[in-house]
């Protein structure tokens, strides 16, 4: 073992107990995200709000205050597949935890479906929302006590996240009062170290949607002046707050190996309980708190004097702060912090208030950011020490102002959380090791964003542009990798290809992002290989230089034909100097060299695409392109196909000088005009033909047609392929085919001779390839066949974009048909890599699933923090129950606020009317509501959607099996017919359920009874 190997092994062994913090998300008073939260902390901002309307009349000097969370009722129900009704009754703190869990995974770069096995460790407290919903239960049909408990009880907070985000590791709900979310972090760490999961979400929420009138008790734990003054002489209590925090954890060795962004490292943690060693159940204990800190230091392998900062529980209460500092002093001893200075002490509660179940993770996030950025934010309102705290003989000093964190080694911090009832938690954090340098970007990058709606996709693109503009040094390849592998790919998609952040910002903002709607499953791709004519010196030189997979396959073909050609194709395609280019161009123009050169480029391009996971479901070619198609399908090996193409070119070069010309007329009109020695060589569409024959005759005919105002153009093909001129070489060509092994194709091959699918046995015969050499190309009929299945994506492999152009000019083409090219036109001055990646992006937009890791090859990539999904939130909040002595507040049907007006939509065909609607429109009263009307009403009540189309499915509207059970019970009771949940789940739509009910005997008069009951 070498020294370096031994050192690497020792590093890995030293990292076995270390856990990385790789992602964070949260909602805080005055801050919708972690970035704004940190900005507020560094600016020493207090975001606690004074609430005069919550005052206690009995204590006029009391200042009611609270750390208010904005938008607690807002939620993107549709994103998570919830109906408006289910979103309404679900506890807002559980909804916010779900959004933050999703956001944290995206921030960690693990928001895609192929993330490691992920556990969930979270908690939340009771907030009164169940009582608010219960007070309105009469306005919420289909809601029973079980459904209410399932939607609001903290028991389900972790499993709800696991279900909606499809996380299959352990899902544990934690309940230890104020220490809940830091205990959750500890449990997540243990699960990772024990191998129970590979990635873990940890955190908690405390969100009070309806603040009650506050009652002040002098001498209690609530501050009289509305400020939390932790450790200060003037402290007289704490202030409550709502907050949500979630962190993503992963074993450090895995995180570093996988290129995760590591914010900080958890060296160790511990949890214990005070037991009876204290004054009472709610009292804190010096012994218990000191012991948990000692255990955490032991687990972390650190000495107390290595710790430079402690984020304390720091509530500002008369009993809590002195006991906490006494416990810290006992655990740390009388020494000093790192470098001989004091260990700094702080509390985030002075900024935002005490967030109860979320307090631990909020302090943890602050400490992570402090360790990461080397800054200790101020503990607000600290003027002079609480006289009950003995700071003089301790190692601690309260950080009363924001200051840099000087250190001569890795920054190490502790985080304390203490729960009422005695469950204590302590976590030791360390500065992350320096990240490995990202490899230089050698080419342009494909940046992808998506959304469940077009508006969300547009917003995602705009946010990405803003982020890259604000962070111009972002490593673009790392950003591309994060977007490709670390995000879910939704139906509405946008992409840009860029070489640097400035170009990316311009493209994202300039509406240059290509748009589309992805297929629900992997799309069917058909590779199209054009014939000769698009070749030029230098084609694919950029790919040859930058893409090892392309280079490997082109080298294979070039080496296979070096003997038959007597030259190296690579010297013709990629001449070393400018002086060599004219001679190379002259050689490439000959059919003997041009044909194998085109085949080499096509085959290498196809293999590069296939190495990126873009595999064709079928192939076809135009003339020469049929050989690349057959090779990709497995009929010929690459070496045999290359040599056969070279022999084909050599034989064609022996026939009398020929030429071909494109004529913009239908075959039926061209045929009568043809000279005796000129024939139809190809029919590329209803108005596009190619004529073939002796060179002189073709030149005269093209000139004659041009003189008559008919578009005709002589092609750069120095032979009369697909004409009688090739008859003399047919026998020798057949012998060349017969000499090669030929296999059944592994893919369907569409014949350009017949326009239909080739028989798998017939395509192996020499006769097939002789007919192909001689007969006209029927590519127009090929397109007829392909356009018969509109979901196919046609991929012009190149060189050039001839076949993509023919496809778009075809009479059956419309803009919904996807036609993609992956090579630039010879006249275009554009990057070949950019064009190829744009093609990959277009295929992704259409629903293809590229192998994004393969797209980056062997280059190691790192995940970087980028903007997360732009949720499209709407308000879902049951009004607060009336306070004693006040009249009930009116509510909308189902307890829902009036939704905002829907955006103006393009006019669409009016949906079918129900019987009642039709009668009303005709001016006649409806004697009975129809069965369909009744079912629609039931759907509206059960799902909370005011306007439901009769043909919308239950699952599409956010319903589930429990909703189906409720609907079935309602229908059976209302119409006195047999209907079960399985019937509802199979029928799905209101119209189908109504039809089934009528089939089983339901009638409108029973619907009338139902609506009246």
């Amino acid at each position: 073992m070498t020294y370096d190997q031994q050192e690497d092994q020792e590093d890995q062994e030293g990292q076995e107990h270390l856990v990385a913090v790789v992602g964070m998300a949260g909602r805080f008073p005055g801050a919708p995200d972690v970035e704004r939260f940190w900005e507020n902390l560094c600016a020493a901002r207090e975001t606690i709000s004074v609430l005069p309307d919550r005052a206690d009349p009995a204590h006029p000097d009391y200042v009611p205050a609270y750390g208010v969370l904005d938008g607690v009722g807002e939620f993107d129900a549709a994103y998570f597949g919830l109906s408006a009704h289910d979103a309404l009754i679900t506890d807002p703190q559980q909804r916010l935890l779900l959004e933050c869990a999703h956001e944290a995974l995206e921030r960690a770069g693990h928001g895609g479906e192929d993330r490691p096995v992920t556990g969930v460790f979270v908690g939340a407290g009771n907030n009164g929302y169940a009582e608010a919903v219960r007070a309105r239960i009469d306005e919420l049909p289909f809601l029973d006590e079980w459904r209410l408990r399932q939607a609001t009880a903290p028991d389900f907070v972790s499993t709800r996240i696991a279900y909606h985000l499809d996380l299959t590791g352990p899902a544990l709900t934690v309940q230890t009062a104020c220490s809940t979310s830091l205990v959750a972090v500890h449990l997540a760490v243990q699960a990772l170290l024990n191998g129970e999961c590979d990635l873990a979400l940890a955190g908690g929420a405390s969100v009070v949607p309806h603040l009650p009138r506050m009652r002040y008790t002098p001498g209690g734990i609530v501050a009289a002046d509305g400020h939390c003054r932790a450790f200060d002489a003037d402290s007289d209590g704490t202030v409550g707050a709502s907050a949500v925090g979630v962190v993503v954890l992963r074993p450090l060795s895995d995180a570093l190996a996988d290129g995760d962004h590591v914010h900080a490292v958890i060296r160790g943690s511990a949890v214990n309980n005070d037991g009876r060693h204290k004054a009472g159940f709610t009292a804190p204990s010096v012994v218990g708190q000191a012991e948990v800190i000692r255990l955490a230091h032991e687990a972390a392998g650190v000495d107390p004097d290595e710790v430079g900062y402690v984020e304390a529980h720091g509530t500002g209460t008369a009993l809590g702060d002195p006991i906490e500092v006494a416990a810290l002093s006992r655990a740390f001893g009388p020494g000093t912090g790192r470098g001989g200075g004091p260990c700094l002490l702080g509390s985030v509660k002075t900024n935002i208030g005490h967030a109860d179940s979320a307090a631990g993770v909020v302090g943890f996030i602050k400490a992570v950011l402090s360790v990461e950025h080397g800054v200790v934010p101020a503990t607000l309102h600290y003027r002079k020490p609480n006289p009950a705290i003995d700071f003089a003989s301790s190692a601690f000093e309260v950080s009363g102002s924001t200051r840099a964190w000087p250190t001569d080694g890795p920054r190490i911090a502790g985080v304390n959380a203490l729960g009422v009832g005695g469950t204590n938690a302590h976590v030791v954090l360390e500065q992350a090791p320096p990240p490995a340098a990202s490899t230089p970007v050698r080419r342009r990058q494909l940046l992808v964003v998506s959304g469940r709606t077009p508006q969300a996709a547009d917003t995602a693109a705009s946010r990405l542009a803003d982020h890259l503009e604000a962070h111009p040094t972002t490593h673009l390849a790392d950003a591309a990798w994060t977007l490709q592998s670390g995000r879910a790919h939704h139906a509405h998609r946008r992409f840009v290809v860029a070489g640097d952040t400035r170009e990316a910002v311009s493209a994202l903002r300039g509406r240059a992002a290509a748009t589309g709607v992805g297929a629900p499953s992997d799309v069917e791709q058909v590779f199209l290989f054009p014939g000769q004519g698009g070749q030029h010196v230098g084609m694919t030189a950029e790919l040859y230089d930058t893409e090892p997979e392309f280079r490997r396959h082109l080298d294979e073909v070039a080496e296979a034909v070096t003997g038959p050609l007597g030259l190296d194709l690579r010297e013709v395609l990629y001449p070393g100097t400018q002086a060599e280019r004219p001679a190379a161009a002259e050689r490439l123009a000959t059919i003997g060299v041009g044909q194998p050169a085109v085949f080499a480029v096509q085959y290498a391009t196809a293999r590069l695409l296939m190495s990126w996971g873009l595999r064709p479901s079928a192939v076809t070619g135009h003339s020469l392109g049929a050989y690349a198609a057959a090779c990709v399908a497995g009929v010929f090996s690459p070496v045999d196909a290359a040599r056969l193409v070279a022999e084909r070119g050599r034989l064609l070069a022996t026939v009398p000088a020929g030429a071909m010309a494109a004529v913009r007329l239908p075959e039926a009109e061209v045929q009568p005009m043809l000279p005796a020695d000129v024939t139809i060589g190809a029919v590329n569409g209803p108005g596009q033909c190619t004529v073939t024959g002796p060179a002189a005759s073709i030149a005269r005919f093209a000139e004659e047609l041009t003189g008559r105002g008919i578009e005709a153009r002589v092609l750069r093909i120095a032979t009369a392929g697909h004409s009688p001129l090739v008859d003399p070489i047919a026998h020798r060509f057949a012998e060349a085919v017969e000499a090669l092994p030929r296999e059944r194709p592994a893919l369907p091959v569409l014949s350009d001779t017949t326009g239909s699918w080739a028989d798998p046995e017939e395509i192996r015969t020499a006769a097939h390839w002789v007919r192909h050499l001689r007969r006209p190309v029927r590519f127009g009929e090929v397109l007829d066949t392909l356009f018969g299945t509109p979901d196919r994506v046609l991929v012009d492999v190149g060189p050039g974009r001839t076949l993509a152009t023919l496809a778009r000019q075809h009479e059956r083409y419309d803009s919904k048909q996807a036609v993609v090219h992956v090579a630039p036109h010879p006249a275009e001055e554009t990057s070949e890599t950019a064009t190829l990646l744009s093609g990959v992006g277009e295929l992704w937009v259409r629903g293809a699933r590229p192998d994004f890791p393969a797209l980056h090859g062997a280059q190691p990539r790192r995940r970087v923090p980028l903007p997360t999904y732009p949720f499209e939130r709407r308000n879902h909040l049951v009004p607060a129950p009336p306070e004693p002595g006040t009249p009930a507040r009116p509510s909308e049907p189902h307890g829902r606020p009036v939704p905002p007006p829907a955006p103006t939509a393009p006019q669409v065909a009016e949906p079918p009317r129900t019987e009642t609607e039709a009668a009303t429109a005709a001016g006649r009263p409806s004697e009975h509501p129809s069965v369909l009307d009744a079912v629609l009403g039931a759907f509206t009540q059960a799902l909370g959607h005011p306007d439901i189309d009769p043909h919308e499915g239950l699952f599409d509207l956010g319903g589930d099996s429990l909703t189906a059970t409720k609907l079935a019970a309602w229908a059976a009771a209302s119409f006195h017919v047999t209907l079960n949940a399985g019937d509802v789940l199979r029928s799905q739509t209101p119209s189908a359920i109504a039809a089934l009910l009528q089939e089983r005997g339901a009638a409108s008069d029973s619907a009338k009874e139902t609506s009246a009951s």
Side-chain angles (χ1 to χ4, degrees):
M1 180 182 292
T2 66
Y3 174 79
D4 288 342
Q5 289 173 326
Q6 183 177 353
E7 191 175 53
D8 290 343
Q9 181 175 334
E10 290 173 356
D11 287 345
Q12 290 176 359
E13 291 173 354
Q15 293 175 356
E16 285 181 356
H17 72 290
L18 303 181
V19 171
V21 182
V22 297
M24 300 183 290
R27 301 275 296 278
F28 314 91
D33 52 41
V34 170
E35 286 78 15
R36 188 73 60 81
F37 174 60
W38 180 242
E39 180 184 312
N40 288 344
L41 294 181
C42 291
R45 295 191 185 105
E46 182 180 33
T47 54
I48 294 171
S49 302
V50 175
L51 306 171
D53 62 330
R54 304 285 91 187
D56 184 349
H59 298 278
D61 293 335
Y62 164 62
V63 179
Y66 190 79
V68 177
L69 200 61
D70 291 334
V72 297
E74 295 185 352
F75 179 61
D76 190 344
Y79 183 87
F80 295 103
L82 287 173
S83 69
H85 179 276
D86 284 346
L88 177 70
I89 65 174
T90 301
D91 185 345
Q93 62 188 352
Q94 297 202 30
R95 301 187 322 224
L96 290 172
L97 258 176
L98 177 58
E99 283 193 354
C100 285
H102 181 283
E103 181 180 340
L105 286 170
E106 287 203 331
R107 284 175 174 267
H110 290 286
E113 60 184 16
D114 58 346
R115 68 173 69 89
V117 174
T118 304
V120 185
F121 304 84
V122 293
N126 291 306
N127 61 0
Y129 194 69
E131 288 69 32
V133 177
R134 191 174 285 111
R136 305 277 179 175
I137 200 165
D138 291 339
E139 304 171 26
L140 296 163
F142 297 96
L143 179 63
D144 57 22
E145 193 61 31
W146 157 243
R147 186 78 168 200
L148 173 59
R149 182 173 181 276
Q150 178 249 334
T152 58
D155 313 45
F156 305 104
V157 64
S158 61
T159 49
R160 187 182 308 282
I161 293 170
Y163 170 73
H164 284 290
L165 301 186
D166 191 23
L167 309 178
T168 58
L172 275 66
T173 296
V174 184
Q175 289 275 26
T176 61
C178 315
S179 61
T180 290
S181 51
L182 199 65
V183 171
V185 170
H186 168 78
L187 293 174
V189 169
Q190 298 307 306
L192 290 167
L193 297 180
N194 292 335
E196 297 169 21
C197 54
D198 303 311
L199 196 70
L201 289 166
S206 180
V207 178
V208 180
H210 304 304
L211 285 172
R213 187 174 297 279
M214 298 179 181
R215 298 185 62 183
Y216 176 66
T217 302
I221 65 169
V222 177
D225 64 355
H227 299 291
C228 178
R229 304 175 184 274
F231 314 118
D232 189 75
D234 293 331
S235 65
D236 70 341
T238 196
V239 177
S242 289
V244 185
V246 178
V247 296
V248 183
L249 309 179
R250 193 179 191 189
L252 178 62
S253 57
D254 292 348
L256 295 176
D258 207 20
D260 290 339
H261 178 89
V262 179
H263 295 279
V265 176
I266 298 175
R267 287 193 61 92
S269 63
V271 169
N272 75 352
N273 191 272
D274 296 333
R276 292 182 59 86
H277 302 287
K278 54 185 180 179
F281 175 72
T282 61
S285 163
V286 171
V287 173
Q289 292 180 25
E291 179 64 8
V292 81
I293 298 166
R294 186 192 68 76
L295 290 172
H297 287 172
E298 183 179 292
V302 300
D303 293 323
D305 60 6
E306 294 181 84
V307 180
Y309 172 65
V310 172
E311 173 62 25
H313 195 59
T315 58
T317 58
L319 186 62
D321 284 3
I323 287 181
E324 182 177 14
V325 177
L328 283 164
S329 298
R330 177 180 290 196
F332 274 68
T336 59
R338 170 168 278 171
C343 178
L344 298 177
L345 191 66
S347 173
V348 72
K349 293 177 182 64
T350 63
N351 299 88
I352 70 166
H354 187 346
D356 197 39
S357 299
V361 74
V362 171
F364 179 86
I365 290 172
K366 174 190 171 184
V368 167
L369 293 167
S370 294
V371 166
E372 182 175 19
H373 297 292
V375 174
V376 177
T379 294
L380 305 185
H381 313 302
Y382 184 77
R383 302 292 180 267
K384 57 182 179 179
N386 185 334
I389 300 175
D390 183 12
F391 280 116
S393 62
S394 77
F396 299 99
E397 176 186 313
V398 177
S399 178
S401 60
T402 298
R403 63 176 81 176
W405 185 346
T407 178
D408 57 358
R411 294 184 284 269
I412 298 178
V415 186
N416 231 17
L418 315 170
V420 171
T423 297
N424 311 303
H426 193 84
V427 177
V428 178
L429 290 166
E430 183 177 72
Q431 181 181 357
S438 295
T439 55
V441 181
R442 298 200 316 267
R443 64 169 189 183
R444 286 169 168 79
Q445 298 298 319
L446 173 64
L447 306 178
V448 299
V449 295
S450 66
R452 288 177 65 93
T453 67
Q455 295 78 14
D458 288 340
T459 303
S462 178
R463 284 187 179 182
L464 180 60
D466 292 344
H467 178 87
L468 294 177
E469 184 176 53
H471 302 85
T473 60
T474 299
H475 192 280
L476 201 62
D478 288 346
W481 168 243
T482 303
L483 294 168
Q484 293 161 2
S485 66
R487 299 287 188 272
H489 295 169
H490 302 295
H492 298 274
R493 302 179 175 188
R494 311 285 185 266
F495 79 88
V496 297
V497 174
D500 54 38
T501 54
R502 184 175 180 179
E503 187 180 344
V505 169
S506 177
L508 288 163
R509 286 201 176 137
R511 300 191 178 275
T515 65
V517 179
S521 59
D522 201 6
V523 72
E524 184 179 348
Q525 303 164 55
V526 181
F527 281 10
L528 316 180
F529 296 91
Q532 192 180 354
Q535 73 272 17
H536 56 282
V537 171
M539 64 178 177
T540 67
E542 186 180 341
L543 300 183
Y544 189 81
D545 287 342
T546 61
E547 299 295 341
E549 187 73 9
F550 179 92
R551 183 165 57 250
R552 182 168 71 87
H553 289 292
L554 192 131
D555 286 346
E556 179 185 17
V557 172
E559 289 162 9
V561 297
T562 296
L565 295 181
L567 55 81
D568 190 331
L569 268 184
R570 291 163 291 195
E571 295 177 358
V572 177
L573 286 169
Y574 319 122
T577 66
Q578 194 67 27
E580 296 173 300
R581 291 180 72 87
E586 189 175 335
R587 285 181 172 178
L588 196 58
T590 66
I591 195 164
V593 175
Q595 293 212 347
V598 168
F599 172 83
V601 165
Q602 290 178 334
Y603 177 71
T605 302
R607 295 295 302 192
L608 177 60
L609 290 172
M610 293 164 70
S611 76
W612 291 346
L614 301 170
R615 297 186 171 275
S617 56
V619 291
T620 189
H622 186 294
S623 188
L624 171 65
Y627 294 85
C631 181
V632 168
V635 177
F636 301 110
S637 72
V639 169
D640 288 342
R643 290 172 178 166
L644 181 60
V645 168
E647 177 63 9
R648 182 180 188 265
R650 187 190 69 79
L651 291 173
L652 286 172
T654 65
V655 304
M660 304 180 83
V663 180
R664 183 80 68 168
L665 281 178
E667 179 183 10
E669 294 183 28
V670 174
Q671 194 74 50
M673 303 181 190
L674 293 176
D677 56 351
V678 174
T679 59
I680 297 291
V683 181
N684 295 321
Q688 303 207 49
C689 293
T690 298
V691 295
T692 179
S697 299
I698 290 295
R700 284 195 302 270
F701 184 56
E703 186 177 353
E704 176 187 335
L705 292 178
T706 302
R708 294 165 58 181
I710 298 171
E711 185 179 340
R713 177 174 54 88
V714 177
L715 302 177
R716 292 194 300 166
I717 302 175
T719 189
H722 307 285
S723 78
L725 290 179
V726 304
D727 288 342
I729 66 170
H731 178 69
R732 281 177 289 168
F733 184 66
E735 291 176 342
V737 176
E738 287 285 3
L740 300 176
R742 302 172 304 284
E743 305 295 335
R744 282 177 62 91
L747 296 172
V749 179
L750 190 54
S751 170
D752 62 322
T753 303
T754 64
S756 59
W757 297 104
D759 180 89
E761 289 298 331
E762 195 271 339
I763 198 173
R764 300 170 63 194
T765 66
H768 171 89
W769 294 101
V770 170
R771 285 194 299 273
H772 180 269
L773 180 70
R774 171 65 177 80
R775 292 183 181 177
V777 173
R778 297 283 173 184
F779 200 74
E781 295 176 31
V782 167
L783 294 173
D784 284 335
T785 299
L786 292 175
F787 286 146
T789 304
D791 290 339
R792 289 190 179 114
V793 177
L794 311 187
V795 184
D796 184 343
V797 177
R801 54 179 67 178
T802 302
L803 298 189
T805 301
L806 289 177
R808 293 190 181 99
Q809 291 174 347
H810 195 273
E811 64 179 2
R812 294 185 61 183
Y813 169 78
D814 65 43
S815 58
K816 295 178 183 178
Q817 180 76 52
V819 178
V820 177
H821 67 273
V822 297
H825 188 279
E828 284 184 288
E829 294 183 3
T830 187
S831 162
E832 291 173 331
T833 302
T835 304
L836 181 63
L837 290 177
S838 292
V840 174
E842 183 66 29
L843 286 167
W844 172 78
V845 161
R846 297 290 183 166
R849 298 179 181 178
D851 181 346
F852 287 117
L855 194 65
H856 291 267
Q859 300 296 323
R861 293 286 173 240
R862 298 181 58 241
R863 293 177 174 87
V864 294
L866 293 173
T868 55
Y869 188 83
F871 292 119
E872 298 174 290
R873 300 180 176 97
R874 295 187 66 177
N875 196 25
H876 301 278
L877 195 65
V878 169
E883 296 180 9
T886 61
R889 295 168 58 193
S891 67
E892 294 299 313
H894 317 306
R896 291 187 297 111
V898 178
T904 303
Q907 291 190 350
V908 296
E910 188 175 315
R913 293 172 172 171
T914 66
E915 294 173 22
T916 306
E917 291 171 333
T920 304
R924 8 176 253 277
S926 174
E927 184 177 350
H928 303 296
S930 71
V931 174
L932 178 55
D933 283 327
V935 174
L936 285 169
F939 263 65
T940 295
Q941 292 176 336
L943 299 169
H945 291 290
D947 298 303
I948 293 178
D949 187 280
H951 303 290
E952 287 186 277
L954 177 67
F955 290 154
D956 294 332
L957 292 164
D960 55 20
S961 58
L962 189 55
T963 311
T965 301
K966 296 283 188 181
L967 287 169
W970 163 82
S974 301
F975 294 101
H976 310 294
V977 298
T978 301
L979 193 79
N980 58 41
D983 295 325
V984 175
L985 292 172
R986 283 187 292 273
S987 301
Q988 281 288 314
T989 68
S991 61
I993 294 170
L996 182 61
L997 286 169
Q998 289 174 309
E999 183 181 308
R1000 295 182 179 179
S1004 295
D1005 56 351
S1006 57
K1008 180 180 180 180
E1009 293 169 9
T1010 301
S1011 62
S1013 62

